[in-house]
């Protein structure tokens, strides 16, 4: 079975993380939160943004980046680092060659450390945007990236069709 993982390195804004948690819940993606974070997981803004989806979430916490790497040593070839400094467009990456993908995002205010990006330059991807603006909102970026992977995987286990409910027009 294919597995999508969303990794947030030191997220700072609880509402973003709550929105991302909701995206993970509705897509079946696992959420990985790497500390330190700019909030606690009991934050009311985090819970409100995640709403009633929080109990549907597969979430793992890590003390720091090294802790995450130690627990995922054998999966590093499945990492995609999202950065405005990436040379490859996220939708040009071929996610179909793997059954497990980790989409890694940095802090809202700083992104991922440049030393990390240099160490994994071939795994860095970007979402196209106007060059005069800094970046997209983190939760929007995660949603764009997650749905591109799922699209390439043909939306496994997701409901792709529905019907209009019957209503009477007077």
């Amino acid at each position: 079975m294919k597995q999508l993982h969303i990794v947030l390195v030191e997220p700072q804004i609880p509402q973003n993380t709550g929105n991302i948690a909701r995206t993970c819940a509705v897509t079946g993606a696992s959420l990985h939160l790497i500390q330190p974070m700019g909030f606690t997981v009991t934050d009311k803004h985090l819970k409100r943004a995640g709403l009633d989806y929080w109990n549907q979430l597969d979430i793992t916490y890590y003390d720091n980046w090294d802790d995450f790497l130690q627990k995922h040593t054998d999966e590093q070839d499945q990492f995609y680092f999202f950065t405005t400094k990436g040379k490859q467009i996220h939708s040009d990456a071929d996610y179909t060659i793997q059954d497990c993908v980790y989409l890694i995002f940095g802090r809202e205010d700083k992104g991922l450390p440049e030393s990390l990006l240099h160490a994994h330059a071939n795994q860095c991807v970007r979402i196209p945007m106007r060059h005069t603006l800094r970046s997209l909102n983190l939760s929007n970026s995660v949603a764009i990236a997650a749905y591109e992977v799922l699209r390439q995987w043909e939306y496994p286990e997701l409901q792709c069709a529905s019907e209009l409910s019957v209503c009477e027009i007077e």
Side-chain angles (χ1 to χ4, degrees), residues 63-158:
D63 292 332
N64 51 47
W65 177 253
D66 290 336
D67 182 28
F68 174 79
L69 273 184
Q70 183 180 22
K71 292 176 177 153
H72 299 282
T73 302
D74 297 335
E75 299 158 311
Q76 291 188 44
D77 63 330
Q78 301 161 350
F79 291 179
Y80 292 87
F81 298 87
F82 278 74
T83 173
T84 58
K85 298 169 178 105
K87 294 187 189 242
Q88 181 181 11
I89 295 174
H90 77 290
S91 56
D92 288 343
D94 184 1
Y95 306 106
T96 63
I97 60 175
Q98 298 163 328
D99 288 337
C100 183
V101 167
Y102 289 81
L103 306 179
I104 302 170
F105 298 85
R107 291 171 53 134
E108 291 93 338
D109 59 345
K110 296 181 182 178
L112 293 165
E114 287 217 6
S115 58
L116 183 61
L117 300 177
H118 281 290
H120 301 278
N122 292 334
Q123 294 167 276
C124 291
V125 295
R126 68 175 291 116
I127 298 171
M129 62 190 83
R130 293 172 56 197
H131 71 280
T132 56
L133 300 174
R134 190 178 66 223
S135 65
L136 288 167
N137 172 275
L138 179 61
S139 63
N140 291 336
S141 296
V142 169
I144 290 167
Y147 272 91
E148 175 57 24
V149 173
L150 294 168
R151 181 191 70 78
Q152 288 188 26
W153 286 351
E154 298 180 358
Y155 303 107
E157 299 184 34
L158 298 182

Side-chain angles (χ1 to χ4, degrees), residues 20-68:
I20 292 164
R22 186 173 181 156
T23 298
C24 289
V26 301
T27 61
S30 297
L31 180 60
H32 303 262
L33 297 178
I34 300 175
Q35 299 181 64
M37 297 184 292
F39 54 89
T40 64
V41 294
T42 58
D43 187 293
K44 68 179 179 179
H45 300 295
L46 175 74
K47 296 288 187 179
R48 183 171 181 208
L51 223 54
D52 55 341
Y53 295 95
W54 202 255
N55 64 339
Q56 301 293 318
L57 193 59
D58 174 19
I59 188 166
T60 307
Y61 301 92
Y62 303 87
D63 292 332
N64 51 47
W65 177 253
D66 290 336
D67 182 28
F68 174 79

